[in-house]
Amino acid sequence: MAPALLQSKSSGVSVVVVPTSILAVDMERRTRDLLERQGHQSPTRRYAYTSGLSPDEKAEMRADIAAGRQRLVFTSPESLVRSLKQPLEDAAEAGLLQYFVIDEAHLVEQWGNSFRTEFQTMSSHRRTWLSKSPPERRPVTVAMSATLTAQQMETLKTLFAAPQGAQIVWAGQLRHEPSYYIDSCANEEKREIAVLDAVSLLPKPMIVYTTKVVDAKEWSDRLHARGMQRVVHVTGEANDADRREALEGWGGRTTDGTAEEATATRYDIVVGTSAFGLGIDLPDVKTIVHACLPETVDRYYQEVGRGGRDGSPSVAYLATTRQDEKVAEHINGEAIIGAPRALERWEAMWHSKTSVGDLYRLDLDSYPADMSVAYNTSRSWNVRILNLMVRAGLIRQYPPEPPRRCETESNATWKARLQYFYETANKYVDVELVDPQTNNPDHFRVRFESERNKLLRDQQSSLRELKAALSGNRCIGDVLGAYYRVPDGEGELRTGINCRGCPYCRATAQLKPNGFYRLAGEPRPLVPSPQNHGRLPLARYFGERQCLSLWWQEPSDRVLVVRLVEKLVRRGIAVVGGPGLNAHTRNLLQTTARTRTVILDEDGALLTSWPGPMVWLTAPDADSPSYDVGDRFAWNTPTYLIHPRHMRHPERPGTPLVDVYEASLSIRRALEEL
């Protein structure tokens, strides 16, 4: 949401891709109040582009996106590459597409390889935006996830980082809220008893996860039969209205599309598949129950992370049977087409090609000669193959460009031809051969099979790690921390380990007084290195000193303090603190600093430990500096001390600092110099 909140009132759109409609609806709910308080609301006051909108509402949002009036839009990968294709291209060409954000970015790898290929196809649309937008107004791509593996990171870099390369911001830390409990049940009947007891006794709100859609419905019926009436189930088969009703009834907030209000909750328990919960931020979920074995450690940890989002402890309970392993292995081993068949399909598509400038347009409904007819999933298989070829460095994909009107073409003919293009555009893709050996069969098979094997190894590893996490032979925190560890040059990006309790730790370790078995330290602010702060603002007034006294005398000068701090921040001074940093000043800094780094040293910790430049505001009525400020003077490290003129020198009682300290300047003069 930050780009839309920070931008000025000029036009511009940021598009955020989310994996589920229910998440888009939830994000719309959370966004509406924020944007409208800033005076940045969109004309329709809608921010989620989903199938639940009417045709007129969709048309209005598309027009607002193309014109840059739609501040922020949450949508799915499928909508982005289809119905929003043209308005997003129009916005990019006009320099109005500002940010392209992929939320839950680990799904680009997890889901994009198989049943939702649009997660990866989006990369071709991004290339089109970059090529069409003015050089100085190209959209910025941001991929965000709380958990990433090395393979997922590599996929994101390959698909979305070119041409500039990726900048990685890493603050990986396992959630500290859940306590983990695992039951291995001899059969389905014993699992049913265990789960029913857990659902009866554990705190609510609660999510019960299953793997299969049919199991979610059956568990919902079982719970109702047990007398639990405040239960609803949500799967990938639910429509938008059902998802919205479940979320509102569970979270206790309702919306008519443009306004929101608190209401009584109707559900304590949601039974769902992995389609429910991704990114949903209902803060007070207390319990996550798994009546299944998730097929990957990623899925398990993401679902556990739906609990305790307000920072309160939560319970993660999982009950498995031996049969669950077969289900998980079947799903996890979902077929990834082999190189020989992929080559046959590629040759069929290549045979159908037509030249479009420097590119080749392929028919996605093409199929090999040994197939008498294409079947329903043929296009999906072709898309998967092309996505893997992109990752293997064989081709680049581009969405087909609309045709150009011929000079002699009648208006009716042109409209009919253009309408036909839009009706059939999803049937085609334009490709560029990146590797001159792409059509060499031996070379194709080697490159394609190498990329395929990476995916298979990653899938097998993910299920293996989940089994290790649930075995009780190691701390679950250790397993997860090792899994979410990414090589980075000569070192690696580590994930901090927390464990409030798991089978291994409860059996072998001592509970610490803080209530944890393992507790990672809180991430420190990323303070810019003091060696890289460049030339200091007002540097010539420091002289031989490293502390500059900036004083004000008249009460009316107080209004200039915020302007001075703002100018110093804009010139690279990132750390600001002191008792004079009131709420009004903080709020103004947050508004005016925009994308510049500002770290507020509210407890004075950086005043005594940070060797880089900082701004320190004394209290408006300060008679003398504090001991810590005096130490900062003696430390002789870059400091902009803003204070009233009457404040005394720390070592000369009764003598104003500015009368004896040569590195001194009024804030009016400082503003003139800046």
Side-chain angles (χ1 to χ4, degrees), residues 30-174:
R30 295 160 56 191
T31 299
R32 184 178 291 114
D33 287 344
L34 283 170
L35 287 180
E36 294 186 359
R37 283 202 302 270
Q38 296 282 330
H40 290 172
Q41 66 267 23
S42 297
T44 61
R45 299 186 70 206
R46 289 189 179 277
Y47 302 94
Y49 187 93
T50 68
S51 58
L53 297 177
S54 70
D56 288 344
E57 288 170 329
K58 288 181 179 178
E60 191 172 0
M61 283 189 73
R62 288 195 298 269
D64 289 339
I65 289 169
R69 295 186 297 263
Q70 180 73 36
R71 284 279 173 193
L72 193 58
V73 57
F74 299 96
T75 194
S76 65
E78 291 81 1
S79 291
L80 183 139
V81 304
R82 294 171 191 161
S83 56
L84 294 183
K85 172 186 178 296
Q86 196 56 48
L88 287 170
E89 287 184 16
D90 292 343
E93 194 166 8
L96 297 173
L97 183 55
Q98 297 184 337
Y99 284 85
F100 167 42
V101 182
I102 307 170
D103 194 19
E104 306 290 351
H106 56 282
L107 297 178
V108 169
E109 170 77 15
Q110 279 187 10
W111 291 1
N113 292 325
S114 52
F115 69 103
R116 293 184 68 181
T117 52
E118 291 84 359
F119 267 105
Q120 296 184 13
T121 308
M122 293 189 300
S123 63
S124 64
H125 293 255
R126 171 185 173 269
R127 280 197 299 274
T128 298
W129 302 335
L130 293 177
S131 67
K132 288 190 170 186
S133 58
E136 70 282 2
R137 302 194 69 177
R138 289 185 175 129
V140 176
T141 302
V142 183
M144 306 181 74
S145 177
T147 55
L148 285 173
T149 65
Q151 177 64 30
Q152 291 164 359
M153 180 94 74
E154 189 60 34
T155 297
L156 290 170
K157 287 180 180 179
T158 300
L159 295 178
F160 297 103
Q164 298 94 338
Q167 296 182 20
I168 299 171
V169 179
W170 185 271
Q173 184 172 142
L174 299 180

